[in-house]
Amino acid sequence: ELTPLRYFVAIARAGHITRAAAGLGVTQPALSAAVQRLESEVGADLLLRTGRGVELTEAGRAFLTHAEETLRAADATLRAVREVM
């Protein structure tokens, strides 16, 4: 499931959960819940929630690098499959 990775990357880029939710077309509570599930699965806090938005934790910065690589690879895979269809 790539959606949680896409959500996390969007939040990291926006620096704010509400702005990321608007850009993704999902509600802020749904996005927050998805990130909390991701953090639970990873076993680490990825975001530091502040009054002004969010900041990546050290674990979040490491996760972001790999999440972006994973999404690029997944997108390339989908393009390759579509090319042969």
Side-chain angles (χ1 to χ4, degrees), residues 5-66:
L5 295 181
R6 292 188 195 283
Y7 284 0
F8 174 75
V9 169
I11 293 167
R13 289 179 180 163
H16 201 275
I17 293 176
T18 302
R19 279 189 229 126
L24 292 165
V26 299
T27 66
Q28 181 273 329
L31 187 56
S32 291
V35 170
Q36 288 174 345
R37 285 189 302 273
L38 180 62
E39 289 176 320
S40 177
E41 186 176 332
V42 170
D45 289 336
L46 302 174
L47 301 171
L48 174 63
R49 284 99 172 141
T50 69
R52 295 180 167 217
V54 296
E55 296 176 13
L56 296 176
T57 63
E58 186 175 340
R61 287 189 297 277
F63 192 84
L64 178 61
T65 299
H66 293 282

Side-chain angles (χ1 to χ4, degrees), residues 2 5-6 9 13 64-79:
L2 298 175
L5 295 181
R6 292 188 195 283
V9 169
R13 289 179 180 163
L64 178 61
T65 299
H66 293 282
E68 289 173 329
E69 290 173 10
T70 299
L71 291 172
R72 278 192 297 274
D75 290 342
T77 301
L78 291 174
R79 282 191 304 275

